[in-house]
Amino acid sequence: MKTLQFANGDQMPALGLGTWKSEPGEVYTAVIEAIQVGYRHIDCAHIYGNEAEVGKAIAESIAAGTVTRDQLWITSKLWNDSHALEDVAPALDTTLTHLQLDYLDLYLIHWPVSFQKGEGFPLDADKLMSLEELPIATTWTAMESLVDQGKCRHIGVSNFSQAKVEALLQTARIKPEMNQVERHPYLQQPELLEFCQSNGVHVTAYSPLGSPDRPAGLKAEDEPVLLEDEAIATIAQRLNCSPAQVLISWAIHCGTAVIPKSVNPTRIAQNLAAAEVVLTAEDLKVIKGCDRARRYVDGSFWVVENGPYTLENLWDS
Ligand code: A2P
């Protein structure tokens, strides 16, 4: 398995199991199965509402001797309602309790968006706080303290534009080492990737399969279906693998980590095997031509009437 190397020598397996949209009731078996077949990287978040089940599966896998804690790479994410200085450490403590762990390998600020404490997905402007009211730089100092205390080994961000990563790099005492963003052939973000990779910030690609199981409210009627893309299907046919495997392998070829979500044992195994799929230079060229700058997770859920967030200030575009 290819790994992403961190400055202190730590290595993150490039392929991890995504757990967004994995229902409680399904995710326990998915994580048990994934660890059993060889996954060593699990991507979690408080807001997914399933960390306790993920934690149970991790704890049982360790107890059964399938894996040791230090062979696993566990990532989680700080929710938007816990950006205030005093809320960051308790949020991580809750995640650690749910996951039954005493440290995380990586903890990310989930979105560059702030809410009042206790809010999950607010629709009212007065429940949202602007980044001027609660700056990322403030949240970041609390994230740095978590590293100082040994509660997480690495810290980073998610859904950050290049401008936001750049700003954070200027003020950070401990540099962000990861930016987890939506990335797949329809949303390649070459400038962001180049900027991050040349500034010591790894990239993890979320929704690498185009996130077909997103709730209907997050889907556009006319959206292109990545898993049915003709160019991807042609490459898959030639390599005798599935389109999903081409997409996962492509992400690894780009030097990113990638976290396909599945709760199906056959697809969990298939996705892991994608790490062995070798694409040619010609395949990479063809896939490069697939870019449509198409976001499936466009952040429009943070844009509420009279609220501080717009798609322009969210993505700095
Ligand atoms: P399932 O969990 O039933 O396997 P993303 O990682 O982009 O969010 O995509 C996740 C979606 O893709 C889920 O609906 C998941 O369904 C499906 N999926 C995961 N692996 C594969 C695969 N190898 N082939 C087809 N669909 C897949």
Side-chain angles (χ1 to χ4, degrees), residues 164-181:
K164 289 189 176 73
V165 176
E166 251 176 312
L168 183 55
L169 283 170
Q170 276 167 20
T171 61
R173 172 172 62 86
I174 301 176
K175 304 288 180 211
E177 291 183 281
M178 178 62 71
N179 188 14
Q180 182 177 126
V181 295

Side-chain angles (χ1 to χ4, degrees), residues 18 20-22 206-214 227 242 244-245 248 259-264 266-268 270-271:
W20 176 39
K21 308 178 260 75
S22 300
Y206 78 68
S207 297
L209 310 180
S211 197
D213 56 345
R214 269 167 302 135
L227 278 167
S242 71
Q245 287 181 309
I248 295 164
I259 47 167
K261 170 266 175 184
S262 181
V263 291
N264 172 287
T266 306
R267 290 191 284 273
I268 287 171
Q270 184 195 115
N271 295 348

Side-chain angles (χ1 to χ4, degrees), residues 102-165:
D102 51 19
Y103 71 91
L104 286 181
D105 296 277
L106 177 63
Y107 198 41
L108 307 176
I109 296 180
H110 205 148
W111 283 89
V113 168
S114 288
F115 304 160
Q116 303 286 348
K117 184 71 190 148
E119 295 296 327
F121 283 90
L123 296 174
D124 297 333
D126 63 352
K127 302 282 192 319
L128 294 155
M129 280 182 284
S130 72
L131 296 185
E132 286 73 38
E133 280 175 272
L134 184 35
I136 291 295
T138 303
T139 308
W140 194 254
T141 58
M143 296 286 283
E144 291 170 328
S145 302
L146 303 177
V147 178
D148 296 337
Q149 294 162 38
K151 288 184 173 184
C152 55
R153 290 198 202 268
H154 304 273
I155 48 178
V157 296
S158 182
N159 296 298
F160 270 44
S161 66
Q162 178 175 329
K164 289 189 176 73
V165 176

Side-chain angles (χ1 to χ4, degrees), residues 30 48 58 72 78-79 136 149 170 214 221 227 251 277 292 313 317:
Y48 301 163
I58 292 172
L72 287 172
L78 177 76
W79 190 236
I136 291 295
Q149 294 162 38
Q170 276 167 20
R214 269 167 302 135
E221 266 179 24
L227 278 167
V277 170
R292 308 176 180 205
N313 68 23
S317 62

